[in-house]
Coordinates of all heavy atoms in Angstrom, one line a residue:
D121 N -31.8 6.5 -7.4 CA -32.0 6.1 -8.8 C -31.7 4.6 -9.0 O -32.5 3.9 -9.7 CB -31.1 6.9 -9.7 CG -31.5 8.4 -9.7 OD1 -32.7 8.7 -9.3 OD2 -30.7 9.3 -10.1
G122 N -30.7 4.1 -8.4 CA -30.3 2.7 -8.5 C -31.4 1.8 -7.9 O -31.7 0.8 -8.5
L123 N -31.9 2.2 -6.7 CA -32.9 1.4 -6.1 C -34.2 1.4 -6.9 O -34.9 0.4 -7.0 CB -33.1 1.9 -4.6 CG -34.2 1.1 -3.9 CD1 -34.0 -0.4 -3.8 CD2 -34.4 1.7 -2.4
S124 N -34.6 2.5 -7.4 CA -35.8 2.6 -8.2 C -35.7 1.7 -9.4 O -36.7 1.1 -9.9 CB -36.1 4.1 -8.6 OG -35.1 4.6 -9.5
S125 N -34.5 1.7 -10.0 CA -34.3 0.8 -11.2 C -34.4 -0.7 -10.8 O -35.0 -1.5 -11.5 CB -32.9 1.1 -11.8 OG -32.6 0.2 -12.8
V126 N -33.9 -1.0 -9.6 CA -34.0 -2.4 -9.1 C -35.5 -2.7 -8.9 O -36.0 -3.8 -9.2 CB -33.2 -2.6 -7.8 CG1 -33.5 -3.9 -7.2 CG2 -31.7 -2.4 -8.2
L127 N -36.2 -1.8 -8.3 CA -37.7 -2.0 -8.0 C -38.4 -2.2 -9.3 O -39.4 -3.1 -9.4 CB -38.2 -0.9 -7.2 CG -37.8 -0.8 -5.7 CD1 -38.3 0.5 -5.1 CD2 -38.2 -2.0 -4.9
R128 N -38.1 -1.4 -10.3 CA -38.7 -1.6 -11.6 C -38.5 -2.9 -12.2 O -39.4 -3.6 -12.8 CB -38.2 -0.5 -12.6 CG -39.2 -0.1 -13.7 CD -38.8 1.1 -14.5 NE -38.8 2.3 -13.7 CZ -37.7 2.9 -13.2 NH1 -36.5 2.4 -13.5 NH2 -37.8 4.0 -12.5
K129 N -37.2 -3.4 -12.1 CA -36.9 -4.7 -12.6 C -37.7 -5.8 -11.8 O -38.1 -6.8 -12.3 CB -35.4 -5.0 -12.5 CG -35.0 -6.3 -13.1 CD -33.5 -6.5 -13.1 CE -33.0 -7.8 -13.7 NZ -31.6 -8.0 -13.6
A130 N -37.8 -5.6 -10.5 CA -38.5 -6.5 -9.6 C -40.0 -6.6 -10.0 O -40.7 -7.6 -9.9 CB -38.4 -6.1 -8.1
Q131 N -40.5 -5.4 -10.4 CA -41.9 -5.4 -11.0 C -42.0 -6.3 -12.2 O -43.0 -7.1 -12.3 CB -42.3 -4.0 -11.3 CG -42.7 -3.1 -10.1 CD -43.0 -1.7 -10.4 OE1 -42.4 -1.1 -11.4 NE2 -43.9 -1.1 -9.7
D132 N -41.0 -6.2 -13.1 CA -41.0 -7.1 -14.3 C -40.9 -8.6 -13.9 O -41.4 -9.4 -14.6 CB -39.9 -6.7 -15.2 CG -40.0 -5.3 -15.8 OD1 -41.2 -4.8 -15.8 OD2 -39.0 -4.7 -16.1
E133 N -40.2 -8.9 -12.8 CA -40.1 -10.2 -12.3 C -41.3 -10.7 -11.6 O -41.3 -11.9 -11.1 CB -38.8 -10.3 -11.4 CG -37.5 -10.1 -12.1 CD -36.3 -10.1 -11.2 OE1 -36.5 -10.1 -10.0 OE2 -35.1 -10.2 -11.7
G134 N -42.2 -9.8 -11.3 CA -43.4 -10.2 -10.6 C -43.2 -10.2 -9.1 O -44.1 -10.8 -8.3
L135 N -42.1 -9.6 -8.6 CA -41.9 -9.6 -7.1 C -42.4 -8.4 -6.4 O -42.7 -8.4 -5.2 CB -40.3 -9.7 -6.9 CG -39.6 -10.9 -7.5 CD1 -38.1 -10.8 -7.3 CD2 -40.1 -12.2 -6.8
V136 N -42.6 -7.3 -7.2 CA -43.1 -6.0 -6.6 C -44.4 -5.6 -7.3 O -44.5 -5.8 -8.5 CB -42.0 -4.9 -6.8 CG1 -42.7 -3.5 -6.5 CG2 -40.8 -5.1 -5.9
I137 N -45.4 -5.2 -6.5 CA -46.7 -4.9 -7.1 C -46.6 -3.7 -8.1 O -45.8 -2.8 -7.9 CB -47.7 -4.5 -6.0 CG1 -47.3 -3.5 -5.1 CG2 -48.0 -5.8 -5.2 CD1 -48.2 -3.1 -4.0
K138 N -47.3 -3.7 -9.1 CA -47.2 -2.8 -10.3 C -47.6 -1.4 -9.9 O -47.2 -0.4 -10.5 CB -48.1 -3.3 -11.4 CG -47.6 -4.5 -12.1 CD -46.3 -4.2 -13.0 CE -45.9 -5.4 -13.8 NZ -44.7 -5.1 -14.6
R139 N -48.6 -1.2 -8.9 CA -49.1 0.1 -8.7 C -48.1 1.0 -7.9 O -48.3 2.2 -7.7 CB -50.4 0.1 -7.9 CG -50.4 -0.5 -6.5 CD -51.7 -0.3 -5.8 NE -51.7 -0.8 -4.5 CZ -51.9 -2.1 -4.1 NH1 -52.1 -3.0 -5.1 NH2 -51.9 -2.4 -2.8
I140 N -47.0 0.3 -7.4 CA -46.0 1.0 -6.6 C -45.2 1.9 -7.6 O -44.8 1.5 -8.7 CB -45.0 0.1 -5.9 CG1 -45.7 -0.7 -4.8 CG2 -43.8 0.8 -5.4 CD1 -46.1 0.2 -3.6
N141 N -45.0 3.2 -7.2 CA -44.1 4.1 -8.0 C -42.7 3.8 -7.5 O -42.3 4.2 -6.4 CB -44.5 5.5 -7.8 CG -43.6 6.5 -8.6 OD1 -42.4 6.4 -8.6 ND2 -44.3 7.5 -9.2
P142 N -41.8 3.2 -8.4 CA -40.5 2.9 -7.9 C -39.6 4.0 -7.4 O -38.9 3.9 -6.4 CB -39.8 2.2 -9.2 CG -41.0 1.8 -10.0 CD -42.1 2.8 -9.7
E143 N -39.8 5.2 -8.1 CA -39.0 6.4 -7.7 C -39.3 6.9 -6.3 O -38.5 7.1 -5.4 CB -39.1 7.5 -8.7 CG -38.4 7.3 -10.0 CD -39.2 6.3 -10.9 OE1 -40.4 6.1 -10.7 OE2 -38.6 5.8 -11.9
I144 N -40.7 6.9 -6.0 CA -41.1 7.4 -4.7 C -40.8 6.4 -3.6 O -40.3 6.8 -2.6 CB -42.7 7.7 -4.8 CG1 -43.0 8.9 -5.7 CG2 -43.2 7.9 -3.3 CD1 -44.4 9.1 -5.8
A145 N -41.0 5.1 -3.9 CA -40.7 4.1 -2.9 C -39.2 4.1 -2.6 O -38.8 4.0 -1.4 CB -41.1 2.7 -3.5
A146 N -38.4 4.2 -3.6 CA -36.9 4.2 -3.4 C -36.5 5.4 -2.5 O -35.7 5.3 -1.6 CB -36.2 4.3 -4.7
Y147 N -37.1 6.6 -2.8 CA -36.7 7.8 -2.1 C -37.2 7.7 -0.6 O -36.4 8.0 0.3 CB -37.4 9.0 -2.7 CG -37.3 10.3 -1.8 CD1 -36.2 11.0 -1.7 CD2 -38.5 10.6 -1.0 CE1 -36.1 12.1 -0.8 CE2 -38.4 11.7 -0.1 CZ -37.2 12.4 0.0 OH -37.1 13.4 0.9
L148 N -38.4 7.2 -0.4 CA -38.9 7.0 1.0 C -38.0 6.1 1.8 O -37.7 6.3 3.0 CB -40.3 6.5 1.0 CG -41.4 7.5 0.5 CD1 -42.7 6.9 0.3 CD2 -41.5 8.7 1.4
F149 N -37.6 5.0 1.1 CA -36.7 4.1 1.9 C -35.4 4.7 2.2 O -34.9 4.6 3.4 CB -36.5 2.8 1.0 CG -35.5 1.8 1.7 CD1 -35.9 1.1 2.8 CD2 -34.3 1.6 1.1 CE1 -35.0 0.2 3.4 CE2 -33.4 0.8 1.7 CZ -33.8 0.1 2.9
V150 N -34.7 5.3 1.3 CA -33.4 5.9 1.5 C -33.5 7.0 2.6 O -32.7 7.1 3.5 CB -32.8 6.4 0.2 CG1 -31.5 7.2 0.5 CG2 -32.5 5.3 -0.7

Side-chain angles (χ1 to χ4, degrees):
D121 291 342
L123 178 56
S124 64
S125 177
V126 171
L127 290 172
R128 201 172 297 108
K129 185 177 179 183
Q131 286 176 324
D132 294 337
E133 294 176 345
L135 299 173
V136 168
I137 54 180
K138 289 288 187 181
R139 69 174 179 274
I140 292 292
N141 182 312
E143 288 78 15
I144 293 176
Y147 169 77
L148 290 173
F149 175 70
V150 172

